[in-house]
Amino acid sequence: MAVLDILEFPDPRLRTEAKPVAQVTEATRTLIDNMLETMYAAPGIGLAATQVNVHQRLLVMDVSDDKSKPMVFINPEVTVLDPEQGEYDEGCLSVPGFYETVSRPQHVRVSAVDRNGEAFTRELEGLAAICLQHEIDHLNGKLFVDYLSPLKRQRIRKKLEKDQRQRA
Ligand code: QAP
Ligand code: CO
């Protein structure tokens, strides 16, 4: 297994729309394992393939307290079950050091394919529902900073560009 490099805002590759996974193969499972290792190493609770510069519709999450419940969603499709929105202070491994309040539906149903290529459907609530929607946004080239005011987004961009220049 391997820890992968994570793209950081405002890298334009984060704006790529990911393509559906046509077939779940050994290579897909290796990517999933590497994404889980990358997420746990960070540490984070969710990671989309887009963030590791793989533009396939695939994401991993683990919102359990003891990091014992990895979840994998391939070609996920979400239906909102309760349109009531809740606020949560979201962060993102591609926007390190920043947490801002975002509103999203708190109760969704997701249909997806698992690591064995089997279709499944489940309902998610609370943080899991929020995290899933955040990760699906990545697959559509969208970031949580897109929900903030242009001024806040600009401030975050300037700070991260500076950090990235200092590291280069
Ligand atoms: C997405 O984000 C998420 O800034 C997953 O310095 C987060 O795992 C959805 C992280 C919150 C909903 C609520 C962020 C790690 C991890 C940072 C993450 C950082 C180190 C973010
Ligand atoms: Co993110």
Side-chain angles (χ1 to χ4, degrees):
M1 296 226 281
V3 172
L4 308 171
D5 284 333
I6 297 176
L7 301 178
E8 288 185 9
F9 180 68
D11 192 310
R13 292 172 290 183
L14 287 168
R15 299 309 187 175
T16 311
E17 183 164 355
K19 297 226 157 54
V21 175
Q23 204 185 347
V24 178
T25 64
E26 223 33 64
T28 315
R29 283 185 279 272
T30 299
L31 173 63
I32 288 165
D33 289 339
N34 289 338
M35 284 174 59
L36 283 167
E37 187 170 356
T38 303
M39 178 184 76
Y40 286 127
I45 59 169
L47 184 70
T50 308
Q51 293 175 275
V52 295
N53 202 27
V54 175
H55 302 289
Q56 298 181 20
R57 302 191 76 82
L58 190 166
L59 65 92
V60 299
M61 292 175 17
D62 189 339
V63 296
S64 69
D65 288 332
D66 58 354
K67 297 285 168 253
S68 64
K69 295 186 176 65
M71 293 193 270
V72 175
F73 298 92
I74 300 167
N75 299 339
E77 300 284 351
V78 156
T79 319
V80 173
L81 293 178
D82 178 354
E84 197 190 328
Q85 308 228 118
E87 293 188 336
Y88 200 91
D89 266 356
E90 294 190 16
C92 180
L93 290 170
S94 295
V95 189
F98 292 90
Y99 289 83
E100 295 287 347
T101 306
V102 176
S103 293
R104 301 187 192 264
Q106 302 286 300
H107 191 185
V108 300
R109 175 179 294 137
V110 56
S111 295
V113 167
D114 69 15
R115 61 180 295 140
N116 300 314
E118 308 273 2
F120 68 96
T121 299
R122 65 181 287 186
E123 284 186 26
L124 297 177
E125 285 184 295
L127 181 56
I130 291 164
C131 190
L132 178 78
Q133 293 171 84
H134 173 119
E135 301 310 332
I136 290 176
D137 274 355
H138 279 299
L139 304 181
N140 295 328
K142 189 162 179 145
L143 297 167
F144 85 92
V145 298
D146 300 345
Y147 297 101
L148 310 178
S149 71
L151 182 63
K152 268 193 181 163
R153 188 162 53 250
Q154 167 96 332
R155 263 198 222 120
I156 293 171
R157 182 164 64 77
K158 294 285 178 211
K159 170 67 164 58
L160 288 177
E161 281 173 343
K162 189 175 166 204
D163 292 351
Q164 289 159 22
R165 273 199 304 278
Q166 281 174 342
R167 263 182 281 144

